[in-house]
Amino acid sequence: MTDPRDQKANDRRNIRVLASCVVFVGAMVGMSYAAVPLYDMFCRVTGYNGTTQKVEQASSVILDKTIRVELDSNSASDLNWDFKPVDRGVNPRIGETVQVSFRVTNNSKREKTGRAVFNVTPMIAGAYFNKLECFCFTDVTLKPGETRDMPVVFFVDPEIVKFPDTKDMKVITLSYTFYQEDKPKPVAQKVGDSEAKKL
């Protein structure tokens, strides 16, 4: 026959194990939700994986040394947009603020919204590639057949010449890919549609 004191000790131990498991599972679920924004923040701070930096003001230092910035563009097939840089590349001085443009045309027969994702190669250059203005910061909506020129204003941080891995870098490629962005219908519109169906 089991001693009641042993049974109580076993029950307490089982409750502690169960509580530990619940806390562990809760922590794992919380970490999975936090992983994407934390990774995004890490990439933006460090330039990891070719992520560029968003800044509010231009560089106060401009070097005599130039660097080639080549421009690349792609769009998802389901978007049916023509998307290309107006010029294939530029040769700014390091630290100089430059504006380039990309041209996009909606070839579909309906209004579409796209979101551009971007990166820089070599990836290590992302930490030094600073954008002041970019169409990639927001969604882009185009009517059927609409063409739009969209600017990107940037500079390459002069700090790039101070580190062994980047000081002799000659070419940086800035690449964008547009993907279709599905916008949910506003609640008011849904209510209006359902009311219209009733009439």
Side-chain angles (χ1 to χ4, degrees):
M1 186 171 177
T2 307
D3 188 335
R5 286 176 295 184
D6 290 342
Q7 185 62 40
K8 284 183 181 180
N10 280 338
D11 289 346
R12 281 196 298 272
R13 197 168 27 252
N14 289 341
I15 288 170
R16 279 197 301 270
V17 169
L18 178 62
S20 298
C21 289
V22 168
V23 168
F24 178 76
V25 169
M28 290 299 101
V29 170
M31 287 298 291
S32 68
Y33 279 105
V36 172
L38 287 174
Y39 179 74
D40 184 58
M41 185 173 67
F42 170 77
C43 288
R44 289 183 186 282
V45 168
T46 64
Y48 181 74
N49 207 21
T51 302
T52 63
Q53 310 301 303
K54 182 179 179 181
V55 294
E56 300 297 326
Q57 64 183 38
S59 173
S60 58
V61 176
I62 300 174
L63 307 181
D64 286 333
K65 185 176 181 180
T66 62
I67 191 163
R68 175 76 176 168
V69 178
E70 296 186 343
L71 307 173
D72 176 58
S73 60
N74 306 280
S75 62
S77 58
D78 62 341
L79 197 54
N80 195 17
W81 284 6
D82 279 337
F83 174 50
K84 60 187 177 185
V86 173
D87 297 304
R88 297 305 303 175
V90 290
N91 297 287
R93 289 185 295 163
I94 294 174
E96 177 185 6
T97 300
V98 186
Q99 178 172 314
V100 295
S101 291
F102 286 76
R103 184 166 294 147
V104 63
T105 301
N106 180 2
N107 294 318
S108 73
K109 295 184 178 178
R110 62 185 181 88
E111 183 177 276
K112 286 194 173 183
T113 298
R115 170 65 68 117
V117 297
F118 56 87
N119 75 335
V120 164
T121 52
M123 290 183 189
I124 195 169
Y128 306 98
F129 200 96
N130 297 284
K131 292 181 183 177
L132 293 156
E133 182 183 342
C134 182
F135 57 87
C136 59
F137 296 155
T138 58
D139 291 347
V140 174
T141 300
L142 297 176
K143 295 176 181 172
E146 182 182 356
T147 296
R148 187 181 303 170
D149 282 357
M150 302 176 299
V152 179
V153 180
F154 69 89
F155 66 90
V156 177
D157 192 328
E159 292 289 311
I160 198 169
V161 302
K162 294 184 178 179
F163 297 95
D165 291 342
T166 56
K167 68 178 184 177
D168 295 321
M169 193 173 289
K170 305 287 187 216
V171 180
I172 296 174
T173 301
L174 174 62
S175 181
Y176 290 96
T177 301
F178 256 114
Y179 293 96
Q180 184 162 329
E181 187 77 7
D182 294 321
K183 283 188 169 180
K185 292 183 178 178
V187 174
Q189 185 178 346
K190 288 181 182 175
V191 171
D193 290 347
S194 62
E195 291 298 321
K197 287 176 185 174
K198 289 179 184 175
L199 295 177

